[in-house]
Amino acid sequence: MTGNAANRNRASPALAGFDRPVLMIAIVSLIAMAFAAGRGDKLLAMTAAALFAGRVIATAIRMVPATGPLAVVRFSTQLTAVTMLWSALALLIAYPIIGLKWQHGWQYGLGFALLAAMFIAYAVRLNTTSGPAAQPGAIEIARRLSAVLALAVLSGAGWLITAGKLDTIKNDWLANDVFLAAAACVFVLSVIPVLRARPA
């Protein structure tokens, strides 16, 4: 692939959410999370989660489309799907597979997997520009729902921090790192449509 072709792919709203560097960082961070779960290494888990969240947020800020509410919502939806999938895999690898003991690990893992499937399905519908999900009225509804989601995520993250959950001595420490990283990503990815997908 030529450099120009690669640049076009990286700039395309349809592909931006699945940007190769994001996926590579996701894989690296998942491997690190697996090692952290096996060794009980809390610092490594926090670093891996922060690495993934930092990459997603940086990509969102750098690559957000400058024009078109549909492109903005589609871009945000794709990256949100990646975030949910990463969260599901991190929890399912750490708890049922690696064997870190926490009774709710697989439940939250499956919950994130379900959310990932929902966002992927929505992203596919947004790729059909003639479909009902891609029409201006539906995009405006999505923009308003993004504001609600941003507030909900901010409230949940605030509770997680102020309730002292990050200082837990139980084996949900890794899950809390995943929750906080996912919350940071989803908050930014929800704010972007609110600010950039306003109707003309």
Side-chain angles (χ1 to χ4, degrees):
M1 180 180 290
T2 65
N4 289 338
N7 288 336
R8 283 196 299 270
N9 280 345
R10 287 177 61 82
S12 170
L15 297 175
F18 302 101
D19 183 56
R20 182 174 295 177
V22 171
L23 296 181
M24 292 302 296
I25 290 295
I27 292 170
V28 169
S29 66
L30 287 171
I31 293 171
M33 294 289 271
F35 275 103
R39 297 166 53 185
D41 192 331
K42 296 183 179 182
L43 180 59
L44 179 59
M46 286 189 291
T47 302
L51 177 68
F52 172 77
R55 180 68 210 196
V56 169
I57 291 170
T59 299
I61 293 172
R62 187 182 73 251
M63 296 182 66
V64 63
T67 59
L70 171 59
V72 173
V73 171
R74 180 169 53 202
F75 171 85
S76 175
T77 300
Q78 289 175 341
L79 269 182
T80 302
V82 171
T83 299
M84 295 300 172
L85 183 58
W86 173 86
S87 302
L89 290 174
L91 293 176
L92 293 174
I93 291 171
Y95 292 100
I97 296 177
I98 298 297
L100 189 61
K101 300 299 182 183
W102 184 51
Q103 65 271 28
H104 300 302
W106 67 271
Q107 296 170 349
Y108 282 103
L110 291 180
F112 274 117
L114 178 60
L115 289 173
M118 292 170 63
F119 277 103
I120 290 171
Y122 181 49
V124 170
R125 293 182 64 192
L126 289 173
N127 279 330
T128 306
T129 55
S130 60
Q135 301 311 303
I139 294 300
E140 176 59 15
I141 292 173
R143 189 181 77 86
R144 295 180 182 182
L145 290 175
S146 292
V148 175
L149 180 58
L151 290 175
V153 167
L154 189 62
S155 298
W159 174 82
L160 190 69
I161 295 170
T162 58
K165 294 295 184 180
L166 300 182
D167 297 325
T168 181
I169 60 173
K170 300 178 181 179
N171 279 342
D172 60 348
W173 53 269
L174 186 141
N176 290 333
D177 293 335
V178 173
F179 296 155
L180 198 58
C185 294
V186 174
F187 177 76
V188 172
L189 293 168
S190 298
V191 169
I192 285 174
V194 174
L195 299 179
R196 303 296 294 274
R198 295 174 180 173

